[in-house]
Amino acid sequence: MVHRIINSPVDSNCFVVVSDTGDRCIVIDPGTEDCRELLSFLGSHQLQVQYIFLTHEHIDHIIGCRTLKEHCPGAKLVCSDLCARNLNDTRLNLSRFAEQFTPHDNFPQADMVYADELTVDWQGQTARFFKATGHSQGSSHAIIGNCLFVGDTYIHHYKTTTTLPGASKPELVNTFESLVNDFQDEHLVVYPAHFESCTPGEMKKELLPQIVKLRQILDRKSKDGNR
């Protein structure tokens, strides 16, 4: 079961993935500083947090991880190596630019990091965390059961931004193509870090035009650079 909590002050998604046994969970992107609603949900359902996964290092997805770690000291903070490196960089975590936040550079160290991907056996199923750069340097996705968590790489009905510090159009094209080609099983549910979930088919339909547009931009830049 996946439970969605809307973070505040930015309306990003925090997900609680509950095990089949109903007493263990993985929290993805705790983006509210005091975690009040999240902690209330965990307490009312008597859930033990085993992993906290960060899809990327932007402030609206990470600001609650210190509070959550303090309340759940046994939980392991999981993210890519570049996300872990960038957590306390106020430029790359965007906290110096976001008017809703003061600059934050006191996030806890990650407990589990990976250069490319990490697979863990979790409550009878596999949880795979893997790097998926482009939107940010530290961006990753996760697939847990039939759930694909894609962070800000793809947001249903919205164009993915590549104008923020650490973004890369060439890397985003590669990540988009992986999403289109490698995740076609319609039993999957795609969970972006903002707004509603969707199917792989819906995601593919929206990503293909973005791939074409990005390739046109990159080809134009390449030609201009060769003049």
Side-chain angles (χ1 to χ4, degrees):
M1 181 186 76
V2 177
H3 182 83
R4 181 174 69 139
I5 294 172
I6 306 300
N7 290 317
S8 176
V10 176
D11 289 345
S12 58
N13 293 331
C14 172
F15 296 108
V16 182
V17 185
V18 182
S19 67
D20 291 340
T21 58
D23 59 350
R24 302 287 191 275
C25 70
I26 297 173
V27 174
I28 299 174
D29 288 351
T32 303
E33 189 165 13
D34 63 14
C35 295
R36 183 176 302 176
E37 184 178 351
L38 172 59
L39 293 172
S40 176
F41 177 81
L42 296 174
S44 64
H45 290 79
Q46 299 183 319
L47 288 168
Q48 178 183 332
V49 181
Q50 294 186 297
Y51 297 101
I52 303 164
F53 172 60
L54 305 178
T55 61
H56 60 299
E57 62 270 36
H58 291 165
I59 189 68
D60 55 321
H61 304 276
I62 66 174
I63 196 168
C65 64
R66 174 171 292 280
T67 298
L68 186 56
K69 283 278 286 182
E70 289 172 350
H71 281 81
C72 308
K76 295 185 181 301
L77 183 62
V78 181
C79 61
S80 75
D81 52 357
L82 294 181
C83 179
R85 186 193 70 185
N86 295 340
L87 283 181
N88 290 305
D89 184 318
T90 61
R91 173 178 172 271
L92 293 174
N93 73 22
L94 305 185
S95 63
R96 74 167 68 169
F97 308 112
E99 61 182 17
Q100 303 96 327
F101 303 97
T102 55
H104 276 68
D105 60 1
N106 63 340
F107 292 104
Q109 289 188 339
D111 300 294
M112 301 173 69
V113 301
Y114 49 91
D116 294 306
E117 69 173 78
L118 171 70
T119 300
V120 298
D121 294 324
W122 179 68
Q123 299 297 306
Q125 58 185 320
T126 298
R128 183 165 73 94
F129 311 102
F130 53 99
K131 193 171 286 186
T133 54
H135 174 69
S136 77
Q137 292 179 350
S139 289
S140 286
H141 297 164
I143 185 163
I144 306 169
N146 70 332
C147 304
L148 176 63
F149 300 92
V150 295
D152 280 1
T153 297
Y154 165 72
I155 300 172
H156 198 29
H157 299 319
Y158 287 84
K159 178 183 175 183
T160 304
T161 181
T162 55
T163 59
L164 299 173
S168 166
K169 287 183 174 65
E171 292 177 14
L172 187 61
V173 168
N174 292 334
T175 295
F176 277 173
E177 290 180 338
S178 174
L179 285 174
V180 167
N181 296 322
D182 300 339
F183 300 97
Q184 301 185 39
D185 184 351
E186 286 300 308
H187 292 98
L188 283 175
V189 181
V190 180
Y191 291 94
H194 295 269
F195 309 121
E196 302 297 327
S197 60
C198 66
T199 68
E202 290 172 320
M203 178 176 66
K204 179 177 180 179
K205 183 178 180 180
E206 293 189 338
L207 286 185
L208 287 175
Q210 289 196 57
I211 292 172
V212 172
K213 182 65 174 179
L214 285 169
R215 287 206 173 279
Q216 290 173 343
I217 293 171
L218 293 171
D219 287 346
R220 187 163 58 247
K221 286 185 176 180
S222 179
K223 291 176 183 178
D224 290 344
N226 290 329
R227 288 177 181 174

